[in-house]
Amino acid sequence: MSTDALVALDVGGTSIRGELLRPARDAGEVVDLEVLERVLADTPRGGAEPDGDAILDEIERVCKALLDSATSHRVSVGAVGVAVPGVVDTAAGAVHLAGNLGWRDVPVAAELSARLGVPVRVHHDVACAGLAERTLGAGRGVRDLLAVFIGTGIAATLTVAGMPVTGGHHAGELGHVPVREPGLPCPCGQTGCLEVYASARAIGRAYAAATGRDDVTSRDVVAALGTDPAADAVWDDALDALAHALLGAITLLGTERIVLGGGLSLAGDALVAPLRERLLARARVAVVPDIVTAGLGPRAGVVGAALATLG
């Protein structure tokens, strides 16, 4: 797609991050994305349940603010790329299910394009984040890559021999790999899934149960490490579960590098160092790869939405 600039958004259950970007190319490949303008907005909530219509309206507002700014930067916008969670049909431009956004069978691309007067493409947020990390982030130049994004849930993207592995709808659902038997029930219907032990939400809930407090999150756990035995125990249990799942993945895939992204990756070495220790202690067949945190941080979804749209 030929364009001077484009608008890219990463839409989550709590925030909407948007950027006006100008791509730089070398031999036809995108090698950089210059940020011309940024907008960060809260995702509207409709009481206990998400308000899908209000969220669509807010996405429109953010897009229009970025489109309006293009004039002052003297660029033309040829497209808008939107990364969203859930079950996404990129070819059809539809979101079949996004529980955190209150959407079911919503033709998001067509609706936004009609409102904005610009072509819109919709993509899956984790697929976008993985694309961004392997193209411009911490996975750049790595042929066999496992990028794991740990936030409210856990998902991964796979690159094998330099090619992304899609495998249909289910590839990358690391959060639903069973790691305990018998295990805690998961909303997916299975028991013992990684996500119910090692996601940021699960860690916060486990710490709340251990302390009797209801106002804590995974960030509180990380902040209390080394000073609160309850936090240490919750963290250790989560990392044990994560190491179990990752050992299976790297043994199967021969992964060269693991990139850890999502909100939990902000724990940095408090996450990476003990995770590496666990893998080194357990691995007998697999070679433990490099483990690094995401190079693009919270921008990975926006950058990936841009790259996927430029495609």
Side-chain angles (χ1 to χ4, degrees), residues 118-131:
V118 178
V120 176
R121 292 194 67 191
V122 180
H123 314 279
H124 188 269
D125 58 348
V126 173
C128 285
L131 172 62

Side-chain angles (χ1 to χ4, degrees), residues 40-311:
L40 182 63
D42 293 331
T43 303
R45 303 298 297 179
E49 297 296 326
D51 185 334
D53 291 337
I55 291 171
L56 203 60
D57 290 343
E58 184 65 5
I59 292 171
E60 177 189 1
R61 187 193 69 78
V62 170
C63 286
K64 284 183 173 177
L66 291 166
L67 290 169
D68 289 344
S69 73
T71 302
S72 62
H73 291 284
R74 299 186 177 183
V75 295
S76 62
V77 174
V80 173
V82 183
V84 299
V87 181
V88 181
D89 184 341
T90 296
V95 178
H96 294 306
L97 178 63
N100 287 337
L101 304 180
W103 292 347
R104 182 182 290 274
D105 294 323
V106 179
V108 174
E111 177 68 27
L112 287 175
S113 183
R115 297 188 190 193
L116 301 173
V118 178
V120 176
R121 292 194 67 191
V122 180
H123 314 279
H124 188 269
D125 58 348
V126 173
C128 285
L131 172 62
E133 286 296 331
R134 73 171 178 266
T135 305
L136 299 175
R140 195 169 190 167
V142 178
R143 288 179 57 78
D144 295 292
L145 177 70
L146 177 63
V148 181
F149 299 92
I150 310 171
T152 303
I154 299 176
T157 62
L158 314 173
T159 304
V160 176
M163 298 296 293
V165 177
T166 56
H169 168 61
H170 299 291
E173 290 288 356
L174 186 68
H176 296 291
V177 171
V179 294
R180 303 272 169 85
E181 184 61 40
L184 296 172
C186 178
C188 77
Q190 297 180 160
T191 59
C193 290
L194 175 64
E195 201 165 281
V196 298
Y197 297 99
S199 67
R201 173 182 288 174
I203 291 169
R205 286 176 174 172
Y207 191 47
T211 60
R213 297 166 55 189
D214 59 4
D215 59 344
V216 293
T217 68
S218 60
R219 291 188 296 274
D220 298 302
V221 175
V222 174
L225 291 175
T227 62
D228 181 355
D232 292 342
V234 167
W235 192 247
D236 286 345
D237 187 63
L239 291 189
D240 284 344
L242 184 57
H244 183 90
L246 290 178
L247 181 57
I250 65 175
T251 303
L252 177 65
L253 299 169
T255 301
E256 187 179 344
R257 181 177 299 167
I258 297 173
V259 173
L260 300 176
L264 204 67
S265 70
L266 298 177
D269 205 47
L271 172 64
V272 172
L275 185 58
R276 181 182 292 113
E277 290 172 3
R278 283 166 169 78
L279 287 173
L280 288 170
R282 297 176 184 185
R284 295 295 181 270
V285 175
V287 175
V288 177
D290 292 337
I291 306 174
V292 299
T293 53
L296 295 168
R299 292 189 63 235
V302 170
V303 172
L307 292 171
T309 299
L310 290 167

